[in-house]
Amino acid sequence: MLKAISLSKSYNGKKVLDNISFQVEKGEIYCLLGQNGAGKTTTINLFLGFIKPDDGNAFIDGEEISIGTSSLNKKMAYIPETVQLYGNLSGMENLDFFSRIAGFKYPQEKLFEFLTKAGLQKDAHQQQLSSYSKGMRQKVGIAVAIAKNADVIFMDEPTSGLDPKTMAEFTESCKELAATGKTIFMATHNIFNAVNVGSTIGIMKEGTLVQQIRTNDINAQQLEQLYLETI
């Protein structure tokens, strides 16, 4: 579903991505692990078509990405570290608004179903976003991705600042999406979350993809040790 071939990117003469290649299958959760500045967000921005690589190619479902590739926009959803929603609207109203932008008009019952599936408690559906916690905002972001019926969901540090209970709920939502065939590509520096939610983990250092590991082959303690040795 995702494929990177020798992607490289530099800013002001400094190489932030250095010849990285990987492949992500349909229904897989790929966690890109690394410190701040390792190149994780740049990788996501290349796949979203926000920036252009200096060298190499990126593909989604076999189609090469270029800036402004509208045919791919319908296949993708993006959940940033801080989900940008309208605080004066309710969770339901935000979901309705962003669904319409994506070209979908759903009845209230369907919007309710999407929010519930994303794990948002029912009594919060009609509350203003200004009263939501970060975890609740992330769940609305997931609901938008579900409503958009995106094949690929990109997430940039989605668990940053979440408490353990909310993180566990978020992890479960991701696994449920993957079980339906959705592909998730997640940038994170949270080792525990990566090994719990991911099916494959890539470790980045200074723009280079230095390790790729299947989570079935490693536990959190082993991953932590490998990560510390790598960075």
Side-chain angles (χ1 to χ4, degrees):
M1 182 58 71
L2 300 180
K3 192 171 186 177
I5 302 175
S6 303
L7 286 176
S8 295
K9 183 69 179 178
S10 296
Y11 290 109
N12 300 319
K14 181 182 179 181
K15 187 159 279 191
V16 293
L17 282 186
D18 188 3
N19 195 38
I20 68 167
S21 298
F22 58 83
Q23 189 164 308
V24 185
E25 303 300 332
K26 181 178 179 180
E28 186 175 4
I29 302 176
Y30 190 103
C31 293
L32 198 57
L33 192 63
Q35 294 181 304
N36 291 337
K40 305 187 302 296
T41 298
T42 300
T43 302
I44 287 178
N45 286 341
L46 284 170
F47 272 97
L48 291 172
F50 292 164
I51 57 176
K52 186 177 180 180
D54 297 331
D55 293 294
N57 310 90
F59 300 86
I60 293 180
D61 199 19
E63 184 175 353
E64 186 169 6
I65 299 162
S66 60
I67 293 176
T69 310
S70 58
S71 61
L72 286 174
N73 291 338
K74 296 179 180 180
K75 296 185 177 183
M76 299 186 290
Y78 175 46
I79 301 176
E81 182 175 356
T82 302
V83 177
Q84 299 299 315
L85 300 167
Y86 292 98
N88 61 327
L89 299 180
S90 69
M92 184 82 77
E93 289 168 335
N94 269 281
L95 177 57
D96 182 43
F97 175 76
F98 286 104
S99 296
R100 287 172 185 264
I101 287 178
F104 298 94
K105 184 178 180 180
Y106 293 109
Q108 291 288 299
E109 298 79 18
K110 199 67 179 177
L111 296 172
F112 180 87
E113 178 186 322
F114 292 146
L115 288 169
T116 302
K117 189 174 181 179
L120 186 69
Q121 54 268 40
K122 296 177 182 179
D123 60 359
H125 290 190
Q126 301 291 354
Q127 292 177 12
Q128 285 193 345
L129 258 291
S130 57
S131 69
Y132 279 28
S133 67
K134 178 178 179 180
M136 294 165 73
R137 286 173 174 265
Q138 297 288 50
K139 290 172 183 177
V140 176
I142 290 178
V144 172
I146 295 171
K148 191 178 177 182
N149 197 28
D151 295 322
V152 183
I153 305 171
F154 294 94
M155 302 181 179
D156 196 355
E157 303 289 357
T159 62
S160 175
L162 299 187
D163 61 73
K165 181 177 183 295
T166 306
M167 189 181 298
E169 293 171 349
F170 186 82
T171 296
E172 190 59 33
S173 295
C174 289
K175 288 182 176 179
E176 289 175 0
L177 285 170
T180 66
K182 306 301 182 186
T183 303
I184 296 175
F185 188 89
M186 181 187 302
T188 183
H189 58 257
N190 189 317
I191 293 171
F192 181 79
N193 178 63
V195 80
N196 274 280
V197 71
S199 46
T200 299
I201 296 171
I203 301 178
M204 290 197 75
K205 178 183 180 181
E206 298 175 353
T208 302
L209 187 61
V210 291
Q211 295 275 358
Q212 290 194 88
I213 316 105
R214 297 291 296 179
T215 51
N216 289 338
D217 299 328
I218 200 167
N219 59 37
Q221 184 177 1
Q222 291 169 331
L223 177 60
E224 182 179 28
Q225 184 62 38
L226 178 62
Y227 181 63
L228 291 174
E229 290 172 356
T230 301
I231 63 170

